[in-house]
Amino acid sequence: MKTLMTVLLFTGLITMAYKPGPVLPIGSEMPKAGLSMKDISGKDISLKKAATSKGLLVMFSCNTCPYVIKNQQRTLNICNYAKDKKLGV
């Protein structure tokens, strides 16, 4: 019973803390596109700099995730395919 109450309390707190952000309509400008950050090679890059007239491929991954590590070649293939199609990566 104590465990059930703890789980319910924790679930309730998470539910109350979650607040969805604003929904961006299709075709809207990228938020914070000019914000520069260093990439893995130490070079400054922003979404605006990386984008081309055909678009931008953005992938979120973690370099310590076993699935990501196992599929690095697949990620490289996807990036090369996007670059061949003149998409920013």
Side-chain angles (χ1 to χ4, degrees), residues 33-78:
L35 179 67
S36 286
M37 299 179 81
K38 293 205 182 292
D39 68 3
I40 58 171
S41 65
K43 177 175 62 170
D44 279 334
I45 190 82
S46 70
L47 294 175
K48 192 172 266 188
K49 287 180 189 174
T52 68
S53 61
K54 291 197 173 193
L56 175 67
L57 170 66
V58 178
M59 298 175 74
F60 296 94
S61 64
C62 173
N63 60 2
T64 60
C65 172
Y67 180 81
V68 173
I69 292 168
K70 182 179 177 185
N71 291 289
Q72 285 179 345
Q73 189 57 51
R74 182 172 181 238
T75 301
L76 289 173
N77 292 342
I78 292 168

Side-chain angles (χ1 to χ4, degrees), residues 9-25:
L9 177 64
F10 185 68
T11 304
L13 289 173
I14 289 175
T15 304
M16 289 187 310
Y18 174 73
K19 293 186 182 181
V23 176
L24 294 175

